[in-house]
Amino acid sequence: MILIALADSNDLYLKKQTEFLERQKKIKILFDVNNGEDLLKQLIVQGLLPDIVLINLSLPYLDYTLTTRIIKRNYPSVRIIAISEFLHYSIINSIINAGANGYLCKNSKPEIIREAIDVVYDNKYFVETKKGNYEIFEIDMIPDFTKKIRRSFLITKNQRQFLQLCVAGFSYTEIASKMNVNIKSVHKYQDLFCKRFNLGNRIELILFVLHNSLIVL
């Protein structure tokens, strides 16, 4: 049985998710709250700790990164899935670095939510990169991630393909052809990574990727 707690300021959304999860096999809702303060109070007073807490990042009264850090510090066995209507890599990076085990788009499909719960319960990491698309990472649960692992959470399938082709030595024209995009998009991929990792050019990017094992060749 997977014990779940829900924290969302939208009562209608909270009710909808509670009703959906209560219909799922091997899932039990311990409690639901609509602000960060009540979430922390319930964790103290409940006789059982939830296995997973689903937290909306717009939760009132407590900043989501602070809430996540407090929970992980005081209840390290509790896994956290963050939920947000905004899909920004900076937000994903912030919440994963704070200790969350998963990231979902607001109003994700029910099957995606169930998949995220099962994956996170299995000590893996689940990141929905855009609505309906997600990646699963099999990474050991350790208190502090290396920068390499943190960064790997932010690489989508298309971005990883670009890196693989780039490291393999294909020209930008060849990469555009293989990815079925225009040359402008290829340059945008490179600019994105160079900006993210503070690199100057393609050679530095390739060396960085190889040094940090960001892709499997």
Side-chain angles (χ1 to χ4, degrees), residues 149-163:
I149 291 174
R150 284 172 177 160
R151 285 166 176 151
S152 74
F153 278 95
L154 308 186
I155 300 176
T156 66
K157 292 178 181 178
N158 287 339
Q159 291 170 353
R160 184 174 291 111
Q161 183 185 12
F162 164 76
L163 291 180

Side-chain angles (χ1 to χ4, degrees), residues 172-193:
Y172 291 132
T173 301
E174 291 171 325
I175 292 175
S177 176
K178 289 181 178 295
M179 293 186 67
N180 196 28
V181 298
N182 57 43
I183 193 73
K184 186 176 181 180
S185 295
V186 172
H187 285 292
K188 283 185 177 179
Y189 278 120
Q190 175 167 308
D191 291 343
L192 180 150
F193 282 114

Side-chain angles (χ1 to χ4, degrees), residues 3 14 67 80 88 112 123 129 162 170 179 186 210:
L3 304 179
L14 194 61
T67 303
I80 295 172
H88 296 299
I112 299 292
N123 285 338
T129 53
F162 164 76
F170 289 101
M179 293 186 67
V186 172
L210 293 174

Side-chain angles (χ1 to χ4, degrees), residues 25-151:
K25 294 180 179 179
K26 298 182 179 179
I27 284 183
K28 178 180 179 181
I29 305 296
L30 277 184
F31 62 86
D32 57 65
V33 295
N34 56 21
N35 64 72
E37 185 178 1
D38 285 345
L39 170 60
L40 296 180
K41 285 181 179 178
Q42 286 299 314
L43 289 173
I44 294 173
V45 302
Q46 287 286 328
L48 289 173
L49 283 175
D51 296 302
I52 298 173
V53 180
L54 278 73
I55 303 178
N56 189 309
L57 298 191
S58 299
L59 213 59
Y61 301 131
L62 283 179
D63 174 79
Y64 63 85
T65 54
L66 176 59
T67 303
T68 300
R69 290 193 179 102
I70 291 173
I71 293 173
K72 297 303 287 189
R73 182 178 66 243
N74 292 288
Y75 313 102
S77 66
V78 176
R79 303 165 183 86
I80 295 172
I81 298 176
I83 300 174
S84 176
E85 57 188 289
F86 303 106
L87 179 61
H88 296 299
Y89 287 133
S90 59
I91 295 177
I92 297 175
N93 189 53
S94 175
I95 195 67
I96 293 297
N97 286 348
N101 309 84
Y103 188 92
L104 281 171
C105 299
K106 188 70 177 282
N107 296 319
S108 293
K109 294 180 179 179
E111 60 267 24
I112 299 292
I113 297 173
R114 178 63 206 241
E115 177 73 5
I117 289 173
D118 289 339
V119 166
V120 168
Y121 184 73
D122 197 31
N123 285 338
K124 298 175 185 175
Y125 291 81
F126 183 103
V127 174
E128 191 170 12
T129 53
K130 63 180 180 179
K131 194 167 183 179
N133 291 347
Y134 60 87
E135 293 195 39
I136 297 171
F137 302 89
E138 296 190 35
I139 299 175
D140 291 338
M141 297 279 290
I142 54 178
D144 189 27
F145 300 113
T146 65
K147 291 182 178 179
K148 175 188 70 176
I149 291 174
R150 284 172 177 160
R151 285 166 176 151

